Amino acid sequence: MIRDISEKIKAEEKVAYAASHDYLTGLPNRYFFMELFEKEISQSKRRKDSFAIVYVDLDGNDSEILLKKADEAMYMVKIPWKEIIGDFTHK
């Protein structure tokens, strides 16, 4: 018996993406970032190369107004940031 599991695979991919990316920006979340970071450390050691991390804290304050503004700022930064660094999640 042959079954088409393409819908199941698509659903699993959506769940995996949602678990590893920020809903608002589509950028990797903290857990996925740590996976990428550890992978990059290993690769840079193997290549005897270096790399850099840019950290931008857009929501350093927990007040409701500032969090809303930080969300807006993160959304506005998303497109230009991806253009600058490319699709770094699929090396």
Side-chain angles (χ1 to χ4, degrees):
M1 177 155 83
I2 299 173
R3 283 195 266 176
D4 183 4
I5 61 168
S6 58
E7 290 301 316
K8 181 181 179 188
I9 292 172
K10 286 180 187 176
E12 289 172 354
E13 288 173 348
K14 280 185 173 181
V15 169
Y17 183 86
S20 62
H21 289 77
D22 178 72
Y23 174 76
L24 180 66
T25 63
L27 295 172
N29 64 19
R30 181 178 305 165
Y31 299 106
F32 190 42
F33 169 79
M34 290 307 296
E35 286 181 29
L36 294 172
F37 181 58
E38 290 171 5
K39 182 179 174 183
E40 188 61 38
I41 289 172
S42 296
Q43 289 177 351
S44 68
K45 284 180 181 178
R46 211 171 24 256
R47 292 185 312 247
K48 295 185 172 135
D49 200 1
S50 59
F51 66 97
I53 294 177
V54 176
Y55 176 77
V56 180
D57 184 6
L58 294 175
D59 61 348
N61 192 322
D62 289 336
S63 77
E64 189 174 325
I65 294 170
L66 288 175
L67 286 176
K68 184 175 190 286
K69 291 296 181 190
D71 284 349
E72 291 172 9
M74 286 192 315
Y75 185 76
M76 290 175 10
V77 178
K78 171 187 146 183
I79 303 294
W81 189 250
K82 281 190 171 183
E83 288 175 5
I84 293 168
I85 61 175
D87 189 5
F88 60 93
T89 62
H90 297 97
K91 277 189 170 183

